[in-house]
């Protein structure tokens, strides 16, 4: 019982197996090729391993039950991620085209899937490169001792520090005020912050030069951008484990809480993370696979890439939490020392009478004898758990928690430079896949003229993208980046992934697909792949998508703002979005998701009109 | 006669006790954190250290007011094990008159460095409660270093782009010249084969298989 939607004319649109053999033997294709297999694997690894592995996965792991989170993560990695990965690899290698070309070849009504991939890649690329611009800013600023985020500027009459810096912290001030000059809300923007424009220019020119000749330049750049992060993570692992308090961080991360497995959000978050981690549905993987030789073993590649992604996530999480543990221990020690100092000063006790070991005993003794004095002192409660759990996700992790931890290490500028070079490499290698997923479809759709050389295509794309990125250089840029991060990458990717699976399994035909794989690697995919392609993966994606839409519709749209005048400062205040934000969210999430049905509908109408005008002409066209 | 001698002997200390007390209006509390600052090399606070304190304060007052202050003009009282105490400054002309609090503060501010270094301490470890230290300005390099690094990076990237573009253009020109020569050779070969009467099968032309055979919207 094979459910296949009739798809006439498929054989005319795609090269047959004999054509492929002949093209392979004679090597006459002018399509770019990988210099060697290592370049291809490194490019895919770089694409899949991104900044999210450092600042999203560890947070998810820790909040959803620590070591227990690895169970749903690894299960979904194998059931959801790996089949999608193999599907994209195989279809790209077989049809030898970019994302738009592949879907157009399967069925011209499906071109919308490729267009949706391109739009999503473009939108994600815009805000991702802004993150890279921020990382570059921090990198440029790391070449000085002392680091600029260790000091507050003095106020007017030099008796104290600037109020905003005094109430929050030096790292907060440097990020929100010096780097971004954050305004108080998303619709309140006081112009463009020029250091950000400069950094955006640097980021886009850097990407431009790396990708300027397509994979012949980016293929060489990935030797550095894909390997360097692993080396830096190793250095940080050694450094981190020798710091005081690192083990408490790692314990906090991995201590399993098996009850979390009963919570559906754990599984949902694991599924979503696997989906985004693999960068499927961006279109870049299909493009990269199309440059492979026809008999490349894509099944092995898919399994290898899955294993590498899983292991790297755990590796990065360990490093991250060792540093977080160190910082939390430092803050805890400082807090306790402050309390000890206050007690010593108020009761005029000799200096070494209270230390960290006998603090509790001494405190209780003093509390029982002078409770009113103790009350008036306003001692802080030093809670290790609170320090371990604060600000450990997203930009907060990299630019606030980590930068603060680095300032406490000896020889801080070196660690800062290493850390930001690592983040830069992680981000840039993901952007290669991103920009591939934008430029190649633009070429296929004839938006950019085909006669232009690849350099001109890349240059034009980068210039236009830079101009669009100026939106993020405004003083409200931080809120726009968060908006894009939350909405541009979630629903559209899930929708596109679902459509891709349905297209390959039911429109291209799973039998034909199995035959193709047998032709390419020598044996048919096993029963595991069959079952997951047909039922398990689409079902998982559908469930995640439905839950996502339901929670999105139910919750009120709020966001966090940095407002020095708010009551809860220095904690960010939660503020509702302005009403026009729904239009923006629809543009970001709705347009790519609806691109496929809308395109199919338009084409139907167009072809129908054409046929009505020329009823005598036989519709040999599809 | 004896009573007068007694009064003269005890008057200064009685006066001192009245002038210097905790929360005295013209007095300051001083707090030293010797162990925190010096750890193993910490010294014990004893009479000699107190004498040094009085001497440095007298030095500071003399320096600021241009009057001659003596060690006996600095009265220290209420010493605690914390190593904190109160002190007041009496006028050199009249030992029962206290020097104004503002003047003392100005004198301490002016000579803070010297007082700190006499005790091998710093602004944080030798506290005058109520006198805020002037903060050191944040270190600011002459030209922002990030612009320098940015300039270097952009220079390299720009040079790289120019190099790649120029090399591509040169390569294409070289290929064109080569193809021009090869084209002539090919034509001769083909003419020859046509003359010889035998034909090769021809090369599979893939330029058509790359194009889209179907109509596009």
């Amino acid at each position: 019982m094979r459910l296949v939607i009739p798809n006439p004319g498929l054989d005319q649109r795609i090269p047959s197996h004999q054509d492929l053999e002949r093209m392979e033997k004679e090597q006459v294709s002018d399509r770019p090729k990988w210099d060697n297999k290592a370049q291809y694997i490194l490019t895919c690894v770089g694409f899949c391993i991104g900044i999210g592995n450092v600042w999203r996965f560890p947070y998810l792991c820790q909040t959803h039950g620590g070591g227990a989170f690895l169970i749903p993560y690894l299960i979904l990695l194998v059931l959801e991620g790996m089949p999608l990965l193999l599907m994209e690899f195989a279809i790209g290698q077989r049809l030898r085209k970019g994302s738009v070309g592949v879907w157009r070849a399967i069925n011209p009504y499906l071109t919308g899937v490729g267009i949706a991939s391109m739009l999503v890649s473009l939108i994600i690329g815009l805000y991702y490169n802004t993150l890279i611009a921020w990382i570059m800013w921090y990198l440029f600023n790391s070449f000085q001792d002392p680091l600029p985020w260790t000091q507050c500027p003095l106020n007017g009459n030099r008796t104290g520090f600037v109020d905003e810096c005094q109430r929050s912290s030096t790292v907060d001030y440097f990020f929100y005020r010096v780097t971004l000059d954050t305004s108080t809300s998303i619709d309140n923007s006081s112009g463009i912050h020029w250091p950000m424009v400069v950094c955006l220019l640097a980021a886009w020119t850097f990407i431009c030069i790396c990708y300027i000749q397509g994979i012949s330049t980016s293929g060489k750049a990935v030797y550095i951008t894909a390997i360097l992060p692993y080396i830096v993570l190793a250095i940080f692992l050694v450094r981190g484990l020798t710091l005081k308090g690192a083990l408490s961080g790692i314990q906090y991360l991995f201590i399993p809480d098996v009850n979390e497995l009963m919570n559906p959000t754990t599984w949902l978050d694991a599924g979503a993370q696997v989906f985004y981690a693999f960068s499927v549905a961006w279109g870049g993987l299909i493009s990269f696979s199309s440059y492979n030789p026809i008999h490349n073993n894509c099944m092995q590649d898919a399994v290898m890439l899955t294993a590498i992604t899983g292991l790297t996530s755990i590796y990065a999480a360990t490093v991250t939490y060792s540093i977080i543990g160190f910082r939390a221990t430092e803050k805890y020690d400082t807090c306790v020392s402050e309390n000890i100092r206050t007690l010593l000063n108020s009761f005029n006790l000799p200096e070494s009478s209270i230390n960290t070991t006998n603090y509790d005993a001494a405190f209780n003794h003093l509390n029982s004898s002078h409770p009113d004095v103790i009350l008036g002192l306003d001692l802080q409660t030093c809670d290790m758990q609170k320090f371990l759990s604060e600000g450990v996700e997203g930009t907060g992790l990299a630019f606030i928690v980590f930068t603060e931890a680095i300032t406490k290490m000896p020889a801080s500028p070196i660690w800062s430079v290493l850390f930001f070079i690592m983040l830069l490499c992680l981000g840039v290698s993901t952007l290669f896949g991103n920009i591939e997923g934008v430029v190649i479809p633009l070429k296929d759709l004839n938006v950019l003229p085909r006669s232009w050389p690849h350099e001109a295509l890349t240059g034009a794309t980068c210039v236009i993208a830079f101009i669009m990125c100026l939106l993020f250089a405004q003083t409200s840029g931080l809120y726009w980046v968060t908006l894009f991060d939350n909405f541009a990458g979630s629903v559209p990717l899930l929708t596109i992934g679902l459509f891709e699976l349905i297209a390959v399994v039911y429109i291209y035909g799973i039998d034909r697909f199995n035959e193709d794989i047998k032709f390419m690697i020598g044996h048919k995919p096993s029963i595991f792949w069959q079952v997951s392609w047909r039922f398990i993966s689409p079902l998982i994606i559908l469930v995640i998508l439905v839950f996502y839409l339901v929670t999105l519709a139910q919750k009120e749209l709020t966001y966090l703002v940095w407002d020095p005048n708010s009551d809860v400062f220095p904690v960010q205040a939660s503020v509702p979005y302005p009403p026009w934000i729904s239009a923006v969210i629809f543009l970001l999430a709705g347009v790519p998701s609806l691109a496929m049905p809308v395109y199919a509908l338009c084409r139907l109408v167009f072809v129908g009109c054409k046929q009505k005008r020329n009823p005598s002409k036989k519709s040999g066209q599809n | 006669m004896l009573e007068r001698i007694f009064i003269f002997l005890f008057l200064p200390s009685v006066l001192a006790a009245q002038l210097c007390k905790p929360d005295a209006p013209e007095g300051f509390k001083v707090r030293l954190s010797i162990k925190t600052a010096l750890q193993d090399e910490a010294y014990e606070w004893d009479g000699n250290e107190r004498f040094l304190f009085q001497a440095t304060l007298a030095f500071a007052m003399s320096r600021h007011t241009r009057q001659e202050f003596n060690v006996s003009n600095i009265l220290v009282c209420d010493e605690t094990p914390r190593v904190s105490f109160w002190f007041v400054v009496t006028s050199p002309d009249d030992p029962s008159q206290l020097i104004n609090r503002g003047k003392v503060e100005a004198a301490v501010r002016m000579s803070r460095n010297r007082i700190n270094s006499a005790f091998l301490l710093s602004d944080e470890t030798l506290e005058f409660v109520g006198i805020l230290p002037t903060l050191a300005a944040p270190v600011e390099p002459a030209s922002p270093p990030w612009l320098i690094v940015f300039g270097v990076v952009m220079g390299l990237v720009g040079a790289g782009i120019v190099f790649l573009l120029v090399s591509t253009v040169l390569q294409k020109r070289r290929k064109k010249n080569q193809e021009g020569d090869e084209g002539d050779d090919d034509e001769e070969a083909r003419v020859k084969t046509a003359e010889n009467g035998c034909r090769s099968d021809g090369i599979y032309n893939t330029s058509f298989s790359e194009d889209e055979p179907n109509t596009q919207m």
Side-chain angles (χ1 to χ4, degrees), chain A residues 27-104:
Chain A
Q27 309 246 333
V28 289
S29 166
D30 61 351
R31 205 168 166 69
K33 271 202 290 266
W34 296 109
D35 291 344
N36 51 49
K37 181 77 181 275
Q39 253 187 20
Y40 168 63
I41 294 290
L42 282 177
T43 308
C44 287
V45 166
F47 190 22
C48 294
I49 309 288
I51 308 181
N53 287 79
V54 170
W55 76 30
R56 178 101 182 117
F57 175 77
Y59 167 75
L60 283 179
C61 195
Q62 180 270 310
T63 45
H64 286 296
F69 182 75
L70 293 177
I71 298 176
Y73 184 70
L74 292 173
I75 291 179
L76 288 171
L77 204 71
V78 167
L79 286 180
E80 178 199 353
M82 207 158 67
L84 272 169
L85 210 59
L86 177 58
M87 183 201 75
E88 289 215 344
F89 282 169
I91 205 78
Q93 197 171 302
R94 166 72 179 85
L95 298 179
R96 316 201 72 72
K97 290 208 168 51
S99 67
V100 164
V102 156
W103 304 115
R104 188 160 48 193

Side-chain angles (χ1 to χ4, degrees), chain A residues 299-538:
Chain A
M299 193 182 287
Q300 209 179 49
D301 295 343
V303 175
M304 196 176 5
L305 203 61
T306 310
I308 292 178
T309 308
L311 290 171
T312 309
S313 297
I314 301 175
Y315 179 43
T318 313
V319 175
T320 308
Y321 265 84
S322 67
I323 308 281
I324 290 176
F326 160 68
R327 173 185 170 268
T329 311
E330 278 277 319
K331 286 201 111 151
Y332 180 77
D333 285 345
T334 315
C335 179
V336 172
S337 308
E338 273 297 309
N339 285 352
I340 291 178
R341 219 174 62 97
T342 321
L343 283 178
L344 287 177
N345 287 351
S346 332
F347 290 99
N348 287 320
L349 302 166
E351 270 181 280
S352 38
S353 57
I354 307 182
N355 52 30
T356 43
T357 39
N358 62 6
Y359 171 73
D360 289 317
F363 176 74
N364 289 331
H365 171 78
L366 288 170
N367 203 4
S368 49
S369 46
H370 308 271
D372 44 348
V373 182
I374 296 279
L375 218 60
L377 284 179
D378 197 21
L379 291 173
Q380 288 178 313
T381 37
C382 300
D383 184 7
M384 185 71 165
Q385 298 292 318
K386 177 170 158 294
F387 290 134
L388 280 170
S389 62
E390 57 181 22
V392 291
E393 161 186 47
T395 51
L397 174 68
F399 300 120
I400 297 185
V401 168
F402 249 83
T403 44
E404 190 177 1
I406 284 175
T407 56
K408 299 191 164 61
M409 297 185 204
S412 334
I414 301 178
W415 299 110
S416 182
V417 168
L418 271 179
F419 176 65
F420 287 112
I421 282 189
M422 174 187 81
L423 283 186
L424 186 70
C425 286
L426 285 172
V428 159
S429 55
T430 308
L431 265 180
F432 290 157
N434 210 311
I435 203 169
E436 170 91 11
V438 173
V439 170
I440 303 293
L442 283 178
K443 197 157 82 163
D444 284 345
L445 289 170
N446 289 327
V447 171
L448 300 173
R450 266 182 198 260
S451 56
W452 283 9
H454 197 98
E455 289 87 346
L457 290 173
T458 314
T461 314
C462 287
V463 164
I464 297 175
F466 168 67
I467 295 174
M468 298 209 287
C469 265
L470 290 177
L471 168 74
F472 301 119
Q474 291 179 307
T475 52
S476 52
L478 172 66
Y479 308 127
W480 284 102
V481 169
T482 323
L483 180 71
F484 272 57
D485 191 17
N486 287 338
F487 294 107
S490 50
V491 172
L493 285 177
L494 290 166
T495 329
I496 296 172
L498 194 60
F499 283 147
E500 283 190 2
L501 265 177
I502 295 176
V504 168
V505 170
Y506 298 110
I507 301 183
Y508 185 72
I510 190 74
D511 289 331
R512 185 188 280 266
F513 194 56
N514 286 333
E515 286 300 315
D516 287 336
I517 295 186
K518 184 167 175 197
F519 166 70
M520 290 195 289
I521 66 176
H523 62 272
K524 264 175 81 166
S526 67
I527 188 76
F528 162 75
W529 301 102
Q530 307 297 330
V531 173
S532 45
W533 279 328
R534 256 179 270 195
F535 306 117
I536 303 184
S537 301

